[in-house]
């Protein structure tokens, strides 16, 4: 549940979600759920030439299981905090 | 359960031609939207039809051809969105991407109009004639997706689905532990050696930290030397 908590704090920030099919979508993180399904607002496709059909959609829902990466704003990440929390979770603490 | 888009031809024989659902396995009809056209990939638009949204899948049935219908499980829908951009498609619609199982031997054009292999369709648009229904449809799609998470062995939080819209919303099941962990991590600058109340673990771990620097992550050593003086 670590990253569920983590993404909760990122709601409202700009993120880029890269899917396992290589599509990358940028948008404002609207909400996230326990399965890490992601809802984005004001989305636009990062590589528009590759995926012209999507272009800009107002809001989209991305299934958690198809996400490869979520690219975060650099100042939106406290790496040390995340390190420690992840280490604790790995220990089951 | 079919991976990807497939044909759906099972209709009730009562003359209404509704789709036959897998009710014994709990599949329920959530929403019906009449007057919906479907666009598979780059193929020409197909209409008129009716969209049925069940708790497991999307079903589109042609209103004129009783043998024509398509269905896709929510498990296979990678994303869905409301598309209002006329450059993307001429009419406002629900745009969906379907997860396709890659076939290594497949070299053919997946969007070929010659032989239609439904399982290779990656994009599907659903165009309601009443575009004011788009937001409702989007929400029902979200519901359907939420009802169909990846099948996992054990789930921790079963009691309901909790979307969080802002950072203040912390009242989630299973989130209680997480809150506690976040607030703890604010104070100690080095968490190694600090356990959540299990004091038996603390001593040996502290010793590890002091005596065995080789167990530290390489980058951590830099940070720790900076923060230890706090």
């Amino acid at each position: 549940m670590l990253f569920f908590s983590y993404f909760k704090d990122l709601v409202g920030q700009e993120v880029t979600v890269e899917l396992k099919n290589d599509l990358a979508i940028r948008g404002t993180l609207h909400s996230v759920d326990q399965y890490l399904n992601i809802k984005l607002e004001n989305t636009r496709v990062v590589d528009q030439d590759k995926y012209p059909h999507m272009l800009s959609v107002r809001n989209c829902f991305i299934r958690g299981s198809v996400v490869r990466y979520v690219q975060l704003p650099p100042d939106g990440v406290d790496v040390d905090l995340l390190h420690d929390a992840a280490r604790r979770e790995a220990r089951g603490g | 359960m079919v991976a990807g888009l497939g044909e759906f031809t099972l209709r009730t024989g009562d003359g209404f031609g509704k789709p036959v659902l897998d009710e014994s396995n709990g599949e329920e009809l959530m929403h019906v939207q009449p007057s919906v056209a479907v666009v598979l990939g780059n193929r020409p638009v197909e209409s008129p039809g009716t969209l049925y949204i069940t708790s497991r899948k999307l079903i589109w049935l042609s209103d004129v051809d009783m043998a024509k219908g398509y269905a896709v499980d929510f498990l296979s829908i990678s994303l869905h969105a409301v598309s209002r951009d006329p450059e993307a498609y001429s009419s406002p619609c629900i745009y969906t991407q379907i997860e396709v199982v890659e076939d290594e031997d497949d070299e053919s054009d997946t969007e070929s109009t010659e032989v239609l292999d439904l399982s290779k369709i990656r994009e599907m648009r659903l165009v309601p004639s009443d575009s004011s229904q788009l937001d409702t449809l989007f929400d029902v799609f979200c519901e359907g997706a939420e009802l169909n998470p990846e099948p996992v062995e054990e789930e921790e939080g079963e009691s309901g689905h909790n979307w969080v819209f802002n950072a203040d919303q912390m009242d989630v099941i299973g989130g209680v532990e997480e809150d506690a962990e976040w607030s703890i991590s604010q104070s100690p600058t080095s968490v190694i050696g600090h356990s959540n109340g299990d004091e038996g673990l603390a001593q040996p771990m502290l010793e590890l930290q002091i005596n065995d620097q080789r167990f530290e992550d390489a980058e951590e050593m830099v940070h720790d030397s900076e923060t230890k003086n706090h």
Side-chain angles (χ1 to χ4, degrees), chain A residues 1-2 4-6 8-9 11 19 21 23 25 30-35 37-39 51-63 65-66 80-85 87-89 91 93, chain B residues 42 74-75 77-82 84-85 87-88 95 97 99 123 125 135 138 142 145 148-150 155-157 160-161 163-165 167 172-173 178 181-182 185 191-192 196 217 219-220 223:
Chain A
M1 298 289 273
L2 169 64
F4 175 31
S5 304
Y6 183 75
K8 277 192 239 172
D9 290 341
V11 164
L19 309 191
N21 65 8
L23 176 68
I25 304 171
H30 172 270
S31 49
V32 64
D33 72 357
Q34 58 194 320
Y35 305 112
N37 291 325
I38 292 170
K39 281 190 192 170
Y51 297 95
H53 299 147
M54 268 213 64
L55 290 184
S56 60
V57 296
R58 214 179 45 198
N59 34 11
C60 81
F61 173 107
I62 302 170
R63 194 181 165 79
S65 59
V66 303
D80 292 334
L81 209 66
L82 198 54
H83 259 153
D84 296 340
R87 198 181 293 116
R88 272 205 308 285
E89 172 142 314
R91 287 209 197 103
Chain B
N42 289 329
F74 275 111
L75 281 173
I77 299 180
S78 306
L79 74 86
H80 64 269
V82 173
R84 295 185 198 269
D85 189 343
E87 281 186 51
Y95 170 87
Q97 277 195 2
E99 195 173 351
E123 295 174 313
R125 292 178 187 276
D135 289 332
F138 177 81
C142 288
N148 291 276
E150 290 300 294
E155 289 281 8
E156 328 158 37
H161 202 94
W163 282 95
V164 179
F165 298 90
V172 195
I173 31 95
E178 302 311 305
E181 289 194 9
W182 280 117
S185 57
V191 197
I192 297 175
N196 280 348
D217 293 343
E219 52 187 2
E220 285 292 341
H223 290 309

Side-chain angles (χ1 to χ4, degrees), chain B residues 23-84:
Chain B
E23 275 155 9
S24 57
N25 266 334
E27 183 177 14
E28 293 173 359
L29 192 58
M30 295 202 305
H31 185 87
V32 181
Q33 189 69 37
S35 235
V36 174
V38 67
V39 183
L40 302 182
N42 289 329
R43 298 173 58 77
V45 57
E46 296 172 69
S47 77
T50 302
L51 178 65
Y52 297 88
I53 305 175
T54 83
S55 53
R56 296 280 159 81
K57 54 183 182 278
L58 296 180
I59 305 171
W60 180 89
L61 297 182
S62 168
D63 291 340
V64 295
D65 183 348
M66 292 297 134
K68 180 150 84 159
Y70 307 116
V72 58
D73 281 347
F74 275 111
L75 281 173
S76 295
I77 299 180
S78 306
L79 74 86
H80 64 269
V82 173
S83 168
R84 295 185 198 269

